[in-house]
């Protein structure tokens, strides 16, 4: 691996300054957050920015806020390990803590950030599937102000996002969900600290006394150009009873058919397709296991 | 363009005059002489370059030295006191957990960080914590035994240096 090409390291202290620098330097600048993806790319020389724009001195990007009625707002610079161990996240959206715990190794998680994971926009980004099924929105700051993008529209291709010139991701908002909204994240890798061969998240509301799942959302990662919702599989699982389970395999198969995996150094397309079915099955089983029935019906 | 950067390593302050593209691993090893941290894969996978930043394990090969300004860096050199090795260092020797020694500084620092927050980990928790540190020699069993031995003695934080 060659050493990195020279660059200037800039430390703006406000959002406006960040946007101004990004607009001025455009393609020759990159934002650096934790650096755990960026520096690897720069060492391989697949990215050679002339300017690195650090966000570390900008206020307000490192907090996790719960706003009653609205939901959770997570700053882009919140580290993956902070998400993994955050009491408020474990209380309100534990699936995000579970997913965070699966990103790389602890040493990577201590530097990596949620903003970086999403903006690096790898199809295998572990934080993407749970945020997709939770209907998260990307909070973007640009020259003309802030805007929100539903996360489904944030990823436009491998390594590409819909951020425009002069814009950066300032945070993520996860809408308030009820306690009957159940979620699961499942990942498979070759080792405990690997990039996902396949990752998936499922969210569903458990309706009682009908004892079925509604509002089903299924997201898949590492099996297409972007993390995406498997809409056809969602339809099959919608309204299904937790007492029957034949539909789980059908749903898994539909998700596997919707996936577009590729052969790469980590796994074959066939293996990934087979894993999609199993991971979706496991995610639904986890969701059903979380469904709380009254004492006398267990 | 070189800039003046102050780094706090093992409790002491060091001033370096460096390009922003210098990695923390390079500056520690080449500018400051802390060659205990090794450089293996150069992409954050192997763990040989692990140091502690404010007590948390990080990959010094994936951190720019300028990113580490104002934080407390601990390298393997910071563990032993004047009188004795850190209990983890002694346990690694006693349990034959060192062969070539290349993974060892990273392993010990990662284990130290675990015991600092969780003085009584299960074997599974130790394995999970060390999952990001690769060893090509030992097969890991002796390393796990060494960490278990320190936990069982309950002397995990003896001999710690500040910083």
């Amino acid at each position: 691996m060659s050493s990195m090409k020279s660059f200037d390291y800039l430390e703006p202290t406000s959002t406006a300054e960040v946007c101004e620098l990004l607009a001025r330097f455009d393609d020759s600048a990159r934002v650096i957050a934790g650096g755990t993806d960026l520096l690897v790319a720069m060492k391989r020389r697949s990215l050679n920015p002339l300017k690195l724009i650090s966000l570390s001195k900008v206020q307000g990007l490192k907090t996790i806020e719960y706003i009653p009625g609205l939901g959770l707002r997570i700053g882009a610079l919140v580290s993956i390990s902070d998400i993994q161990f955050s009491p408020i996240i474990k209380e309100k959206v534990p699936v995000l803590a579970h997913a965070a715990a699966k990103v790389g190794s602890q040493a990577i998680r201590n530097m990596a950030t949620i903003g970086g994971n999403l903006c690096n926009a790898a199809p295998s980004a572990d934080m993407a599937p749970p945020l997709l099924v939770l209907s998260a929105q990307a909070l973007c700051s640009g020259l003309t102000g802030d805007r929100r993008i539903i996360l489904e529209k944030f990823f436009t291709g491998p390594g590409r996002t819909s951020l425009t010139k002069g814009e950066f991701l300032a945070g993520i908002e996860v809408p308030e969900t009820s306690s009957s909204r159940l979620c699961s994240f499942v990942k498979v890798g070759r080792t405990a600290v690997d990039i996902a061969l396949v990752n998936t998240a499922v969210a569903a509301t458990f309706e009682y006394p009908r004892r079925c799942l509604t509002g089903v959302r299924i997201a898949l990662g590492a099996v297409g150009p972007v993390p995406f919702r498997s809409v056809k599989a969602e339809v099959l699982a919608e309204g299904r009873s937790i007492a029957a389970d034949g539909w789980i395999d059908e749903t898994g198969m539909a998700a596997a058919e919707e996936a577009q995996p590729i052969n790469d150094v980590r796994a074959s397309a066939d293996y990934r397709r087979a894993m999609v079915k199993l991971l979706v099955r496991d995610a639904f089983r986890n969701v059903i296991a979380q469904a709380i029935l009254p004492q006398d019906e267990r | 363009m070189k800039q003046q950067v102050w780094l706090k390593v093992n409790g002491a302050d060091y001033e370096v005059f460096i390009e922003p593209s210098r990695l923390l691993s390079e500056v520690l090893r080449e500018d400051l002489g802390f060659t205990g941290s090794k450089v293996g894969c150069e992409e954050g996978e192997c763990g040989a370059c692990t140091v502690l930043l404010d007590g948390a394990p990080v990959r010094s090969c994936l951190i720019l030295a300028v990113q580490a300004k104002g934080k407390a860096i601990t390298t393997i050199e910071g563990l032993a006191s004047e009188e004795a090795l850190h209990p983890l260092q002694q346990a690694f020797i006693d349990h034959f957990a060192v062969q070539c020694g290349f993974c060892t500084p990273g392993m010990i620092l990662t284990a130290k960080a675990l015991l600092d927050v969780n003085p009584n980990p299960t074997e599974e928790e130790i394995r999970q914590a060390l999952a990001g540190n690769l060893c090509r020699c030992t097969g890991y069993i002796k390393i796990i035994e060494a960490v278990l031995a320190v936990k069982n003695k309950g002397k995990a934080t003896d001999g710690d240096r500040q910083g």
Side-chain angles (χ1 to χ4, degrees), chain B residues 108-146:
Chain B
I108 290 180
L109 286 170
T110 304
K112 176 191 182 313
L114 168 69
L115 294 174
D116 284 349
V117 300
N118 180 2
N120 197 23
T122 61
E123 181 177 325
E124 182 56 30
E125 285 171 326
I126 294 172
R127 285 176 176 275
Q128 285 291 329
L130 295 178
N133 292 80
L134 303 182
C135 172
R136 300 290 280 133
C137 298
T138 65
Y140 302 100
I141 292 175
K142 296 300 182 180
I143 292 173
I144 309 288
E145 283 177 11

Side-chain angles (χ1 to χ4, degrees), chain A residues 62-64 74-75 77-90 96-97 100 106 109-114, chain B residues 56:
Chain A
K62 289 186 193 159
T63 52
I64 302 172
I74 306 173
L77 247 56
V78 174
S79 73
I80 299 293
S81 66
D82 281 348
I83 293 176
Q84 180 186 357
F85 296 119
S86 157
I88 189 79
I89 287 192
K90 289 200 272 196
L96 288 185
Q106 196 63 58
R109 298 194 278 274
N110 288 336
M111 287 299 287
T113 64
I114 185 162

Side-chain angles (χ1 to χ4, degrees), chain A residues 127-207:
Chain A
M127 299 308 296
L131 288 169
L132 284 172
V133 299
L134 292 169
S135 309
Q137 302 203 304
L139 306 173
C140 308
S141 288
L143 290 168
T144 51
D146 300 339
R147 66 177 175 129
R148 289 151 179 249
I149 311 174
I150 185 105
L151 200 64
E152 287 166 54
K153 301 214 155 78
F154 185 73
F155 305 112
T156 58
R160 301 219 305 271
T161 70
S162 51
L163 290 171
T164 58
K165 180 168 159 169
E167 214 177 19
F168 74 100
L169 180 71
I172 279 284
E173 210 165 82
V174 180
E176 179 102 70
T177 56
S178 78
S179 54
S180 55
R181 190 98 180 121
L182 309 172
C183 304
S184 173
F185 170 82
V186 189
K187 169 181 175 179
V188 66
R190 292 162 300 169
T191 66
V193 300
D194 204 2
I195 286 173
L197 308 180
V198 180
N199 53 23
T200 187
V202 165
T205 302
F206 173 58
E207 303 265 353

Side-chain angles (χ1 to χ4, degrees), chain B residues 50-70:
Chain B
T50 304
V51 299
L52 302 183
L53 206 60
D54 292 337
V58 294
R59 305 297 198 218
S60 63
C61 76
L62 285 190
I63 297 180
L64 302 172
V66 294
Q67 284 177 277
K69 288 185 292 192

Side-chain angles (χ1 to χ4, degrees), chain A residues 1 4-9 11 32-36 39-40 43-44 52 57 105-108 110-111 192-193, chain B residues 1 3 19-21 23 26 41-45 50 53 56-59 61-64 66-67 69 131-132:
Chain A
M1 189 172 305
M4 298 186 287
K5 290 191 180 170
S6 241
F7 52 82
D8 291 326
Y9 184 78
E11 295 179 272
I32 179 166
T36 54
L39 292 183
V40 175
K43 287 179 179 206
R44 291 180 182 158
L52 282 197
K57 292 194 171 151
S105 63
Q106 196 63 58
I108 293 290
N110 288 336
M111 287 299 287
V193 300
Chain B
M1 179 102 128
Q3 47 181 266
E19 292 278 353
S21 55
L23 297 164
E26 290 169 4
C41 69
E42 297 186 72
E43 47 182 46
E45 297 283 345
T50 304
L53 206 60
V58 294
R59 305 297 198 218
C61 76
L62 285 190
I63 297 180
L64 302 172
V66 294
Q67 284 177 277
K69 288 185 292 192

